[in-house]
Amino acid sequence: MDKINYLLDQRKTYIADIKLKNNKNNVYIWLSKIDSIINEEEKIHLYDESLRYFEKNDYIGKLSDIYISYAYYYYNKNEYTNCINIFKLALKQNAYFKSANEIANIFCAWIEIELLERNYKEALNIARLSIDINKKSYNTLYKSSTSILLYEDISLNNNLKNKNNYHTNFNLLSCMKLVSLIIDMEMNYGTIETTLNMFDFFYHSKCINVKMVLTLATYLYEKKYFNESFKVYEKALSVFHYPYVYPIYVNYINKYIQRYKDKNISYVRDLFKQAIYGNDNKTFIPKEFAKHIFLMYANFESNYGFIKKELSIYKEAIPFLEEPDKIKFYKIFISKVKQQSYKK
């Protein structure tokens, strides 16, 4: 009976052994085997064995998952130094990785650990390091006029003293998860200047997304950096097209009107025209977005412009609208005309 209980207790380990013998190149089978081990020394030995194996052999899955699992194993044991050493090892041996996403995952996990430890400056420095180790982005960054400011505290854990030991030929800027995290780190723990410099770098590298634009522009607006906020919107308008540009137009126009009201009516009109006809007067707004933009335009003229202009907008909108919306706009137009006739 004792033997049966022992076999049942070891069932998970035996199954993992069989799977590992049949497919040693699968990362997740190695992780399953490691997870089945209770003895700590055996677990560490198996982590090391798996990493040595994949130095010489191809793999299926993400090798970065083993490094991250290994690092978190030490972190959960309150062995912070060993945890960080695993991340450093992963970056030094990044030639074994198959994609930029794997290296990006290493950086994201490392930053997360530093945030959990409340090492905020260190987390920010690691986020910046993720750009520096990339040869392509490094050269672009430091040859451009919008270079990132120096690291705030390079003594922390000596992570950046040896940054020349880390390099990769992968383009980490293709990993939007990492790029978005870097901007978030700059907004939360950097300065306005470094945040804007980082955004400019990403903008010139063509790796910004709509969420990043809206988040940064809102952040700057709330900090009362109004001109900088509007410049972020303007740069985004030169990059994105419909349907992605729609929320950018809506937010930009609303914030601009909220800030300046009737002080720059001609510019707001130009923005609406651009949203409707495109920069080239050929890229017209899709019908599913036209209703809201035209209503915003008409409402703006109602509050700060002229009645005739407002009425002309309702007429101008008709060719751009879907059939159900055309009827609504005709009704609004007739209602507005009646109101004007009563006033006379």
Side-chain angles (χ1 to χ4, degrees), residues 215-228:
T215 302
L216 178 58
T218 302
Y219 166 80
L220 292 169
Y221 192 91
E222 290 174 351
K223 294 287 185 180
K224 301 190 184 304
Y225 285 82
F226 302 112
N227 289 336
E228 289 78 4

Side-chain angles (χ1 to χ4, degrees), residues 122 125 150-161:
E122 180 74 344
N125 287 336
L150 294 175
Y151 299 102
E152 293 182 16
D153 188 354
I154 61 174
S155 64
L156 292 170
N157 281 336
N158 295 321
N159 286 333
L160 302 176
K161 284 184 177 180

Side-chain angles (χ1 to χ4, degrees), residues 89-272:
L89 177 66
L91 294 180
K92 288 177 182 177
Q93 297 183 343
N94 71 77
Y96 301 123
F97 294 130
K98 290 182 178 180
S99 69
N101 281 328
E102 293 194 69
I103 304 174
N105 288 340
I106 295 292
F107 273 111
C108 290
W110 189 355
I111 292 168
E112 184 180 68
I113 290 292
E114 298 296 351
L115 291 176
L116 289 172
E117 287 291 297
R118 299 186 178 182
N119 297 331
Y120 302 124
K121 284 187 177 180
E122 180 74 344
L124 177 60
N125 287 336
I126 293 163
R128 293 170 177 173
L129 174 64
S130 68
I131 293 178
D132 283 357
I133 72 163
N134 184 277
K135 290 181 179 179
K136 181 179 178 181
S137 62
Y138 181 90
N139 292 335
T140 304
L141 182 65
Y142 289 100
K143 285 180 181 178
S144 69
S145 59
T146 57
S147 61
I148 307 302
L149 298 184
L150 294 175
Y151 299 102
E152 293 182 16
D153 188 354
I154 61 174
S155 64
L156 292 170
N157 281 336
N158 295 321
N159 286 333
L160 302 176
K161 284 184 177 180
N162 301 317
K163 70 177 182 178
N164 291 330
N165 293 336
Y166 309 124
H167 64 275
T168 179
N169 290 321
F170 286 115
N171 181 14
L172 298 184
L173 298 182
S174 63
C175 308
M176 291 311 302
K177 177 183 176 182
L178 178 61
V179 170
S180 298
L181 179 58
I182 293 170
I183 280 289
D184 286 343
M185 294 299 299
E186 289 291 350
M187 285 192 292
N188 285 286
Y189 306 113
T191 65
I192 295 294
E193 185 179 2
T194 59
T195 302
L196 289 172
N197 285 343
M198 190 67 79
F199 176 79
D200 284 342
F201 171 59
F202 289 152
Y203 167 74
H204 291 297
S205 302
K206 299 181 180 179
C207 60
I208 61 174
N209 59 28
V210 173
K211 183 179 179 182
M212 182 193 302
V213 169
L214 297 178
T215 302
L216 178 58
T218 302
Y219 166 80
L220 292 169
Y221 192 91
E222 290 174 351
K223 294 287 185 180
K224 301 190 184 304
Y225 285 82
F226 302 112
N227 289 336
E228 289 78 4
S229 174
F230 297 145
K231 285 178 182 178
V232 169
Y233 284 122
E234 288 163 8
K235 288 177 180 178
L237 293 179
S238 67
V239 174
F240 296 104
H241 303 283
Y242 283 108
Y244 308 106
V245 77
Y246 171 71
I248 297 173
Y249 272 123
V250 171
N251 281 271
Y252 183 20
I253 293 171
N254 281 333
K255 292 295 185 182
Y256 196 91
I257 294 172
Q258 180 182 332
R259 171 64 179 161
Y260 293 111
K261 295 182 172 58
D262 61 346
K263 291 182 180 178
N264 199 349
I265 292 177
S266 60
Y267 181 73
V268 177
R269 285 173 178 163
D270 288 341
L271 276 179
F272 278 116

